[in-house]
C-alpha cells in the first residue's frame, strides 16, 4: 500500500473512533502535545493509561469480591479510572465510570459487578482500538508518511 | 294492640342487627373511600412506573367495589331509617291512644261502679225499710193483742167476747191504716176465730175479713185452754180451721180512709183472699218470715208471723201475721231505672225474683195457683239473660264476698255491666243484681276513643308516608352523589388507563427511537465515508448529500422524540458546563441565515452588552431551545426578519462591574488596563464564592403569519400546531415547541407567546443560568470611541442595519447608513470627495466631514487619526452583469481613506471572492452581521491602521494574501454546525494577527493581554479549532519560567498535565500525593529545622519559608489522592504560610465539577479550581491570572 492510502485509512479510522464515541477531543489535545521533543508522547501516555487501568481494574475486581465491600474504596478506584480515562479522551470508558460511580452510591453489589464488567469491556474495546490505531500510525511512519492528525475528527 | 306492637318490635330487633352491620360498614367505608380517593390522586401525581401500575389497579378495584357496596348500603340505610320512623310514629300513636283511652275508661269505670252501687243500694234500703216496718207493725200488733187479750181474759159472756173482738178490730184498723204499705194484717185466735184487714193496692180497696162467730164456742175454747196448759201447741190445729169447713168467712168492704163499713159483708171462701198466719207458721213460738204470693197481687209479698202469748207466757193465744207487698220496691226501682236506664232486680237467696224494675209479672200461674218465679225464667229478656250469664259464669259458687262486678258481659249483642250484691238479712237473704248497658256509661267514651284512634292512625299513616317520601328524597341526593362518585371513579380509571397507555406509547417511542438511532448513526457514518470518496460523479454526490441531509433530519426527529420522552420521564439531566452563550447564538444565527437566505428573511442577533459571555449550563440544550425556536419562526416567515434579542435581567449580580455606564468608560480611557485587571483580581475570589445566577431574557421576533391568541398556550403542547392545515405546507411534527418549553422549564425559566404590534409572533422566554468566576472577564472591549471610528453601513436589510447602528452608537461610534448602491456612492462622495462647502448630509457629517477632509492632508501621520469603515453587503453590487467590477473600481478609489469590509453571502461565487482578494479586500465576513463580527472588523481595521501608521510602506496587504488559505472562507453548513460552532472569520483574523505579530516583532504587554482576552472569549470551541488557535495566538511560552508543582496520583494525568505545562514553558515538578507535595515544599525547611533544632527564630523561619515557597509559583493539586488528599495538603500548606505573608496559589484539580466541591476547595484555601479533563485554555488563563496577580502584588 502506498502512503496516501495508508494515511487516508488512518484518518478514516480515527474518525470512526470519534464517531462511535470511543475517543473525544481530549485525545486530539494529547496529539497536539506531541512534538519533536516528545515524539512518542501519545503512545507513552496511552501505555501508561493501560497499565494504570489494568491495575485499577484488578483492584476493583478484588475489592468487589470481598465479603464486606468497601464502597468508598471502590468509589475511589473508579474515580481514579475516570480521571485517567477522561485525560486520554477515552470517552466510553469515562461514561461507564460515571455510571459506575452512580451505582456505587446505591451500594448494590450485583449492579456494581455488572458495571465493572461493562467498564472492562469498554476498556478492552478502547485498548483494542487504540492499539490498532498505533499500529496504523506505525505503518504510516514506516511507509515514510507523516501522521495526518490535524484534519481528523471534524 | 300493645301485644301487637311488642311483637313487631320483637321481630324488628333481629332484623335491625343485620341492618346495623352494613350501616357500620358504610360509616367505616366513608373514610376508606376518601383514602382511596386521595391515594388515587397521589398516584396520578407521581407518574406511573410499570411496577406500580398493578398495585394501583388493585387499589382501584378495591375503591370501585367499595363504591358499589356503599351504594347498596345507602339503600339499606334508607330502609332502616324508614323502618325506624315507622316504629317511632307507631309508638307515639299507641301511647297517645293508650293514655287518652285507658285513663278515661278507668276513671269512668270507677264512677260507674259507684253509681251502680248507689243505684242498687237504694232499693235494698227500701227493702230493708219494708222489712223493718213490717217487723215494727208486727211487734206492735203483738203487744196490742196481748194487752187486749189480757183485758178481756176473764170474759166469758158472748157479749164480752164480741167486745173483745170489736176492740181488737179497732186496734188492728189503727195499725193497718197507719201503714199504707201493708197488704194485710191478720190475727188468728186460738179458738180459730180470724180477724183480718186486707188492702187491695190495685183497686185501692180495703176489706175486713172475719170468720163467723157463731160457729165458735167460746166456752170450748175456755175449757180447752186449761187442758192444753201443758202443751201450748195442743189444740192448735190448722185442721180445725181448714177442716172447719163449716166456718163461714165474710168480707166486708171498708172505706180505705175511715175504716167504716161501706158495703155488705159477703161470704167468701176461707183463705181465698189472703194467707192467714196460723199456728203452723210459728211452730217454735218465735217470729217467722217468708215470701208469699197472693192471688190478688202480682208481686210477691213479705209476710211475718208472731205468736201472741197469754199473760203467763205459757201458751200461745193468738198468731198475728203481717203481709207487706214488695210493690213499692219495684216502684222505686222503676223510678231509678227510668233515670239511669238498665235493669235492677232482687232475688231471694234461692233465685226467686222478688222485685224487678220492669212491669212484668213476677209470678207464674201454675196449677197450684201463682208461684214465685226464678230470675232465669223472667219474661224480661235482659233479666233472664243476665241471670243466665251469672249462673253460667259463677254457677253456685258465688264469690266469698258475695259481690260480682262484671264489665263487658255480652247479653244479646250488647255489652252490659252486671253487678250483684248479696244482702244477708236475717231470715231473708236477698241478692240484688243491676244490669246496666255499657253504652249508657261508656258509650260516648267508646265512640270518642274510636274516633281518636281513627284520627291517630290516619295522621300517623300520613306522617309516615310523608316521612318516607322525605327520606327517599333526602337519600336520593346522597345516592345520586354516590352514583356520581362511582362515575367519577370510573372516569378516573379510564383516564389512568389512557395515561398509562400514553405512557406506554411514549416509552415505546423512546425505545424505538433509541433503537432507530443506532442504525441511523451507521447510515450517516457510511454516507460520510461515501461523501469522502472521490470517485463519485457529481450527480451521485448530490444525491448522497441529499440522502445525508434527510438522514440527519430523521435523526433529529428521533432525537426530539427521545428528548421529549426523556424529559417526560424525568431522566433528562442538564449538564453544568461553562459555555459562551453569545458565541453559540452567533453560530446558530450563522447557520440559520444560510437557510434564511433562500426566503429573503433577515436573521438578526441583537444581544445586549450586559449578557455575560460565559455562563454555566447545558450548552447543547440551550442551543436546542434557540434552534427550535428559530427554525419554527423561519418556517412561518417568508419575508421580513427574524430578530433574536437578548439581555440580562439581573444586573445586580454583576453589580459593581458590569455595564459601567458607557459614557464613563469613554471618558476615562486612561483607567484602562491595570485598574481593570486589579478589579478582576479582587473580584475573582468574591465572585467565585457565590455562584451568581443571572436571568437571561430573550425575544424571538418574527414577521411570519403569527399565532392566533387562543393557541398561545396550546402551541407548547406536544404534537400541536397552531394551524393543522399548515402541516402539509411546512411539515414538522409539532414537537419542537414542546421540547423548548420543557427545556426552558427545566432551566428554571419560562416561555410564552407575547403580544406583538404588527404581524408575526413574539416569543418571550427567560432562562436562569449561573455565571462563573471567569465570566467576569466579559465585556472588556476596546474602547472604540477613542479611536475615532466611523462606520458606514451599506446593508440592504433595514432591521439589521438599525440594530447594528444602534449598538455602534451606544459604543461611541458614529454611523452612517445606506441601503443601496446609489445611496452609498452618494455618501462616499459627500464625505470623501466633495469640498468642505457642500451641504452636510447629516449631523455626523458636520462633525466628521471636516476631519476626513483634513485627513487627506495629514496622511496618517498620527495613529489616532479617525478611520472610516465601510461595511458593504455584497448584495449591493450588481453581480448579474459585469457592472460589479466597475463598482469595485469605484470603491478602490477610496481605499486609502476608508477601510472596506465585505459581507458575503454564503453562495457568493468564488470568482467574486477571488476578485475581491486580488484587489486586496481582505476583510470579508459571511452574513449575517452581528456584534462579534463587527468587533472583529473594528479590531482588524484599527490594527491595520496602527500598523500602517508604524510602517509607511504597507505592502502587508499583499503578504496577507499569502496567509489567507483559500478555504478560510468556509461556507457554513448546518451539518457542520453540529460538531461545534463554526468560527471561520476568527481564523482569518488570527492569521492576520499572527502576521502582525511577526511584523511588529516586539510585543507590548497590553498586546499580550489583548490576546489573552481573546482566548477567554473564544473559550467554547471545538478542540481542534482551539488547538489551532492555541498554536497561533497564545504565545508559545506564555508560562515561561513559571515553576509549578503538580500533585497528581494518576500517572496518566500526571504525564499529560506536565507535558502540557512544559510545552508552555513552565518547569514542572510532579509528585504522587499530597504528602509528597507538602514535603517538596518543605524539605529544606525541615532539614533546617532538624539541623538547628527547635530554636529557629521566627524571622528566620519566615525567610526560609519565603525562600522555599518561592521556589514554586503555583501548585496544581489533585483533590483525591492517596496518603493525603488535596484538601489536607492545602490546609497544611496554608498553615505553614500563616504569618509569613506568602500566598502561593493553589489550583485544585477535581473531577467532581460540582458546586459543593468547588466550595470545599475554596474553603480549604485554594484559589481556583479546574475540572478534569484539563481544559488547555482554561488552565492557561487560570494560571496566568493567578501568577500575574502575584506579580502585580509583588510590584506593589
Amino acid at each position: 500500500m502506498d502512503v496516501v492510502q495508508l494515511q487516508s485509512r488512518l484518518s478514516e479510522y480515527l474518525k470512526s473512533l470519534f464517531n462511535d464515541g470511543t475517543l473525544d477531543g481530549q485525545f486530539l489535545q494529547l496529539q497536539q502535545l506531541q512534538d519533536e521533543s516528545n515524539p512518542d508522547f501519545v503512545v507513552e501516555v496511552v501505555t501508561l493509561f493501560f497499565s494504570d487501568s489494568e491495575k485499577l481494574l484488578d483492584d476493583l475486581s478484588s475489592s468487589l469480591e470481598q465479603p464486606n465491600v468497601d464502597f468508598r474504596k471502590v468509589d475511589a478506584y473508579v474515580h481514579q479510572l475516570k480521571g485517567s480515562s477522561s485525560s486520554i479522551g477515552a470517552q466510553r470508558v469515562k461514561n461507564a465510570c460515571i455510571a459506575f460511580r452512580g451505582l456505587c452510591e446505591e451500594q448494590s453489589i450485583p449492579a456494581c459487578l455488572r458495571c465493572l464488567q461493562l467498564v472492562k469491556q469498554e476498556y478492552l474495546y478502547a485498548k483494542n482500538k487504540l492499539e490498532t490505531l498505533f499500529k496504523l500510525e506505525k505503518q504510516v511512519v514506516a511507509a515514510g508518511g507523516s501522521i495526518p492528525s490535524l484534519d481528523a475528527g471534524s | 294492640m300493645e301485644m301487637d306492637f311488642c311483637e313487631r318490635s320483637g321481630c324488628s330487633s333481629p332484623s335491625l342487627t343485620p341492618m346495623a352491620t352494613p350501616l357500620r360498614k358504610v360509616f367505616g367505608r366513608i373514610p376508606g373511600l376518601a383514602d382511596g380517593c386521595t391515594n388515587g390522586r397521589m398516584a396520578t401525581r407521581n407518574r406511573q412506573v410499570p411496577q406500580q401500575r398493578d398495585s394501583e389497579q388493585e387499589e382501584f378495584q378495591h375503591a370501585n367495589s367499595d363504591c358499589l357496596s356503599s351504594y347498596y348500603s345507602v339503600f339499606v340505610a334508607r330502609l332502616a331509617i324508614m323502618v325506624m320512623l315507622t316504629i317511632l310514629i307507631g309508638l307515639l300513636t299507641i301511647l297517645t291512644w293508650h293514655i287518652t283511652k285507658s285513663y278515661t275508661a278507668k276513671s269512668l269505670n270507677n264512677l260507674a261502679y259507684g253509681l251502680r252501687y248507689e243505684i242498687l243500694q237504694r232499693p235494698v234500703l227500701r227493702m230493708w225499710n219494708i222489712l223493718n216496718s213490717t217487723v215494727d207493725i208486727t211487734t206492735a200488733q203483738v203487744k196490742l193483742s196481748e194487752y187486749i187479750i189480757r183485758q178481756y181474759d176473764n170474759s166469758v159472756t158472748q157479749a164480752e167476747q164480741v167486745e173483745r173482738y170489736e176492740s181488737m178490730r179497732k186496734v188492728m184498723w189503727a195499725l193497718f191504716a197507719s201503714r199504707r204499705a201493708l197488704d194485710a194484717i191478720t190475727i188468728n185466735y186460738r179458738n180459730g176465730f180470724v180477724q183480718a184487714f186486707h188492702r187491695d193496692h190495685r183497686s185501692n180497696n180495703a176489706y175486713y175479713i172475719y170468720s163467723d162467730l157463731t160457729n165458735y164456742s167460746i166456752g170450748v175454747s175456755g175449757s180447752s185452754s186449761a187442758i192444753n196448759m201443758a202443751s201450748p201447741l195442743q189444740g192448735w190445729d190448722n185442721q180445725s180451721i181448714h177442716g172447719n169447713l163449716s166456718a163461714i168467712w165474710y168480707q166486708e168492704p171498708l172505706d180505705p180512709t175511715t175504716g167504716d163499713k161501706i158495703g155488705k159483708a159477703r161470704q167468701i171462701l176461707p183463705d181465698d183472699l189472703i194467707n192467714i198466719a196460723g199456728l203452723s207458721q210459728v211452730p217454735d213460738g218465735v217470729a217467722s218470715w217468708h215470701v208469699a204470693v197472693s192471688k190478688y197481687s202480682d208481686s210477691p209479698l213479705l209476710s211475718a208471723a208472731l205468736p201472741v202469748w197469754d199473760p203467763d207466757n205459757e201458751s200461745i193465744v193468738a198468731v198475728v201475721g203481717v203481709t207487706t207487698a214488695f210493690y213499692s220496691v219495684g216502684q222505686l226501682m222503676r223510678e231509678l231505672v227510668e233515670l239511669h236506664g238498665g235493669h235492677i232486680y232482687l232475688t231471694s237467696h234461692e233465685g226467686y225474683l222478688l222485685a224487678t224494675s220492669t212491669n212484668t209479672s213476677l209470678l207464674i200461674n201454675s196449677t197450684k195457683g201463682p208461684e214465685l218465679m226464678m230470675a232465669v225464667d223472667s219474661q224480661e229478656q235482659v233479666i233472664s239473660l243476665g241471670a243466665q250469664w251469672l249462673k253460667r259464669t259463677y254457677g253456685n259458687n258465688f264469690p266469698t264476698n258475695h259481690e260480682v262486678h262484671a264489665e263487658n258481659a255480652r247479653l244479646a249483642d250488647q255489652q252490659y255491666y252486671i253487678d250483684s250484691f248479696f244482702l244477708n238479712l236475717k231470715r231473708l237473704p236477698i241478692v240484688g243484681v243491676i244490669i246496666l248497658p255499657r253504652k249508657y256509661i261508656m258509650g260516648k267514651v267508646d265512640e270518642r276513643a274510636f274516633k281518636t284512634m281513627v284520627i291517630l292512625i290516619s295522621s300517623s299513616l300520613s306522617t309516615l308516608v310523608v316521612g318516607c317520601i322525605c327520606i327517599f328524597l333526602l337519600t336520593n341526593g346522597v345516592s345520586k352523589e354516590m352514583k356520581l362518585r362511582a362515575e367519577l371513579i370510573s372516569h378516573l380509571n379510564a383516564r389512568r388507563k389512557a395515561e398509562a397507555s400514553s405512557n406506554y406509547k411514549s416509552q415505546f417511542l423512546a425505545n424505538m427511537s433509541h433503537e432507530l438511532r443506532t442504525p441511523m448513526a451507521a447510515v450517516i457514518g457510511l454516507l460520510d465515508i461515501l461523501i469522502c470518496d472521490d470517485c463519485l460523479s457529481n450527480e451521485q454526490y448530490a444525491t448522497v448529500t441529499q440522502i445525508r441531509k434527510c438522514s440527519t433530519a430523521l435523526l433529529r426527529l428521533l432525537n426530539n422524540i427521545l428528548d421529549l420522552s426523556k424529559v417526560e420521564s424525568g431522566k433528562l439531566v442538564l449538564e453544568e458546563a461553562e459555555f459562551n452563550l453569545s458565541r453559540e447564538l452567533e453560530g446558530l444565527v450563522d447557520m440559520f441565515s444560510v437557510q434564511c437566505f433562500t426566503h429573503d428573511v433577515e436573521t438578526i442577533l441583537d444581544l445586549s452588552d450586559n449578557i455575560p459571555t460565559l455562563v454555566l449550563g447545558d450548552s447543547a440544550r440551550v442551543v436546542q431551545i434557540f434552534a427550535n425556536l428559530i427554525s419554527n419562526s423561519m418556517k412561518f416567515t417568508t419575508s421580513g426578519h427574524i430578530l433574536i434579542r437578548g439581555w440580562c435581567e439581573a444586573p445586580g449580580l454583576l453589580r459593581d462591574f458590569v455595564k459601567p455606564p458607557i459614557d464613563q468608560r469613554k471618558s476615562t480611557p486612561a483607567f484602562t488596563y491595570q485598574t481593570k485587571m486589579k478589579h478582576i483580581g479582587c473580584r475573582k475570589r468574591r465572585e467565585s464564592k457565590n455562584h451568581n445566577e443571572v436571568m437571561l431574557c430573550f425575544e424571538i421576533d418574527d414577521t411570519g403569519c403569527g399565532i392566533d391568541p387562543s393557541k398561545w398556550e396550546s402551541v407548547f403542547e406536544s404534537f400541536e400546531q397552531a394551524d393543522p392545515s399548515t402541516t402539509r405546507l411546512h411539515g414538522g411534527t409539532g414537537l419542537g415547541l414542546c421540547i423548548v418549553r420543557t427545556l426552558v422549564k427545566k432551566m428554571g425559566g419560562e416561555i410564552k407567546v407575547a403580544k406583538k404590534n404588527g404581524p408575526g409572533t413574539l416569543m418571550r422566554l427567560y432562562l436562569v443560568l449561573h455565571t462563573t468566576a471567569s465570566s467576569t472577564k466579559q465585556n472588556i472591549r476596546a474602547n472604540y470611541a477613542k479611536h475615532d471610528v466611523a462606520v458606514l453601513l451599506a446593508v440592504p436589510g433595514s432591521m439589521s442595519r438599525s440594530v447594528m447602528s444602534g449598538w455602534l452608537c451606544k459604543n461611541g461610534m458614529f454611523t452612517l447608513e445606506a441601503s443601496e448602491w446609489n445611496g452609498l456612492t452618494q455618501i462616499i462622495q459627500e464625505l470623501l470627495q466633495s469640498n468642505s462647502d457642500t451641504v452636510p448630509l447629516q449631523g455626523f457629517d458636520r462633525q466628521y466631514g471636516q476631519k476626513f477632509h483634513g485627513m487627506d492632508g495629514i496622511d496618517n501621520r498620527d495613529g489616532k487619526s479617525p478611520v472610516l469603515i465601510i461595511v458593504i453587503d455584497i448584495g449591493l453590487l450588481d453581480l448579474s452583469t459585469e457592472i460589479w467590477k466597475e463598482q469595485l473600481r469605484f470603491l478602490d478609489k477610496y481605499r486609502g481613506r476608508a477601510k472596506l469590509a465585505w459581507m458575503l453571502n454564503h453562495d457568493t461565487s468564488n470568482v467574486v471572492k477571488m476578485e475581491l482578494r486580488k484587489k486586496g479586500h481582505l476583510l470579508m465576513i459571511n452574513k449575517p452581521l452581528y456584534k462579534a463580527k463587527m468587533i472583529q472588523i473594528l479590531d482588524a481595521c484599527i490594527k491595520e491602521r496602527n500598523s500602517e501608521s508604524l510602517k509607511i510602506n504597507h505592502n502587508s496587504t499583499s503578504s496577507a494574501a499569502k496567509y489567507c488559505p483559500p478555504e478560510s472562507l468556509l461556507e457554513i453548513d448546518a451539518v457542520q454546525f453540529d460538531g461545534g460552532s463554526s468560527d471561520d472569520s476568527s481564523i482569518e483574523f488570527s492569521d492576520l494577527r499572527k502576521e502582525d505579530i511577526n511584523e511588529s516583532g516586539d510585543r507590548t504587554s497590553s498586546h499580550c493581554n489583548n490576546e489573552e482576552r481573546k482566548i477567554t472569549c473564544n473559550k467554547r470551541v471545538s478542540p481542534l479549532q482551539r488547538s489551532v488557535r492555541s498554536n497561533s495566538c497564545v504565545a508559545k511560552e506564555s508560562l515561561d519560567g513559571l515553576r509549578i508543582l503538580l500533585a497528581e496520583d494518576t500517572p496518566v494525568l500526571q504525564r499529560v498535565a506536565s507535558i502540557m505545562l512544559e510545552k508552555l514553558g513552565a518547569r514542572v515538578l510532579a509528585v504522587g500525593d499530597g504528602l509528597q507535595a507538602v514535603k517538596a515544599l518543605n524539605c529544606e525547611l525541615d532539614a533546617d529545622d532538624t539541623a538547628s533544632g527547635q530554636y529557629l527564630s521566627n524571622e528566620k523561619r519566615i525567610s526560609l519559608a519565603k525562600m522555599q515557597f518561592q521556589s514554586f509559583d503555583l501548585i496544581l493539586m489533585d483533590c483525591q489522592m492517596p496518603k493525603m488528599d488535596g484538601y489536607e495538603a492545602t490546609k497544611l500548606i496554608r498553615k505553614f504560610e500563616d504569618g509569613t505573608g506568602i500566598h502561593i496559589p493553589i489550583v485544585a484539580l477535581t473531577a467532581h465539577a460540582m458546586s459543593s466541591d468547588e466550595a470545599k476547595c475554596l474553603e480549604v484555601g485554594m484559589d481556583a479550581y479546574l475540572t478534569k479533563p484539563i481544559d488547555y485554555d482554561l488552565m492557561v488563563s487560570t494560571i496566568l491570572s493567578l501568577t500575574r496577580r502575584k506579580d502585580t502584588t509583588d510590584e506593589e
Side-chain angles (χ1 to χ4, degrees), chain B residues 47-57 503-504 507:
Chain B
R47 286 291 175 112
Q48 297 93 335
V49 184
Q51 292 95 310
Q52 281 181 0
R53 210 162 289 142
D54 287 339
S55 62
E56 265 170 35
Q57 249 160 23
N503 212 32
Y504 280 131
Q507 211 142 22

Side-chain angles (χ1 to χ4, degrees), chain B residues 568-582:
Chain B
E568 271 182 4
S569 60
K571 277 179 192 156
L572 180 78
V573 179
L574 291 176
E575 87 180 31
E576 188 92 332
E578 207 175 56
F579 70 100
N580 187 331
L581 180 65
S582 33

Side-chain angles (χ1 to χ4, degrees), chain B residues 291-566:
Chain B
V291 177
V293 287
S294 80
K295 255 182 229 168
Y296 303 101
S297 162
D298 51 358
S299 68
L301 302 170
L302 177 71
S303 63
L306 269 178
V308 180
W309 296 86
D310 66 341
D312 306 326
N313 255 355
E314 283 169 357
S315 61
I316 296 164
V317 288
V319 172
V320 172
V322 176
T323 308
T324 317
F326 284 138
Y327 176 76
S328 63
V329 178
Q331 195 77 28
L332 181 72
M333 277 155 74
R334 259 195 295 282
E335 280 164 19
L336 286 173
V337 163
E338 259 170 36
L339 210 69
H340 299 294
H343 302 272
I344 306 174
Y345 67 92
L346 296 174
T347 60
S348 66
H349 191 53
E350 289 81 26
Y352 293 106
L353 272 175
L354 296 181
T356 65
S357 59
T358 54
N359 291 323
T360 51
S361 163
L362 298 173
L363 306 173
I364 325 168
N365 286 317
S366 64
T367 46
K368 289 181 210 167
E371 271 179 18
L372 277 173
M373 178 197 260
M374 293 294 281
V376 184
D377 304 323
S378 166
Q379 279 159 359
E380 177 65 36
Q381 202 192 3
V382 177
I383 291 173
S384 76
L385 282 171
Q388 275 168 18
W389 184 86
L390 275 174
K391 203 174 178 187
R392 195 168 59 236
T393 316
Y394 299 104
N396 292 324
N397 309 318
F398 253 64
T400 44
N401 56 356
H402 303 289
E403 279 188 27
V404 171
H405 300 288
E407 295 166 2
N408 302 326
R410 192 159 192 85
L411 309 177
D413 298 333
Q414 262 202 306
Q415 299 253 322
Y416 288 92
Y417 287 109
I418 296 180
D419 297 83
S420 147
F421 304 94
F422 180 68
L423 280 162
N424 197 9
L425 299 179
K426 201 173 178 189
R427 290 167 193 269
L428 188 68
I430 289 174
V431 174
V433 173
I434 179 163
I435 300 173
L436 276 177
R438 187 190 160 84
K439 202 166 64 184
Y440 168 67
I441 296 169
M442 302 297 281
K444 280 276 170 66
V445 174
D446 279 344
E447 199 186 339
R448 284 276 159 79
F450 180 72
K451 277 180 184 165
T452 319
M453 187 73 184
V454 166
I455 289 166
L456 270 175
I457 286 175
S458 53
S459 70
S460 59
L461 273 177
S462 54
T463 315
L464 191 71
V465 168
V466 169
C468 285
I469 289 168
C470 283
I471 288 167
F472 183 78
L473 289 177
L474 276 174
T475 50
N476 216 26
V478 175
S479 75
K480 244 177 214 165
E481 199 190 308
M482 281 290 179
K483 266 183 212 160
L484 278 178
R485 196 171 285 179
E487 218 162 290
L488 202 75
I489 286 172
S490 69
H491 280 180
L492 209 73
N493 193 14
R495 204 188 73 194
R496 202 168 298 164
K497 266 181 195 160
E499 265 175 13
S501 75
S502 102
N503 212 32
Y504 280 131
K505 209 191 292 169
S506 63
Q507 211 142 22
F508 167 76
L509 277 176
N511 288 340
M512 277 312 290
S513 51
H514 190 262
E515 293 306 313
L516 286 170
R517 250 159 36 125
T518 321
M520 274 315 290
V523 167
I524 290 171
L526 287 170
L527 283 171
D528 281 342
I529 294 168
L530 201 58
I531 287 169
C532 290
D533 205 345
D534 291 338
C535 51
L536 287 174
S537 74
N538 271 347
E539 276 169 32
Q540 280 171 332
Y541 183 82
T543 317
V544 171
T545 316
Q546 198 61 41
I547 293 172
R548 199 195 181 286
K549 271 182 186 161
C550 295
S551 312
T552 322
L554 184 54
L555 189 63
R556 198 171 302 136
L557 180 61
L558 290 174
N559 283 342
N560 274 352
I561 294 172
L562 194 64
D563 279 345
L564 206 61
S565 48
K566 235 185 193 174

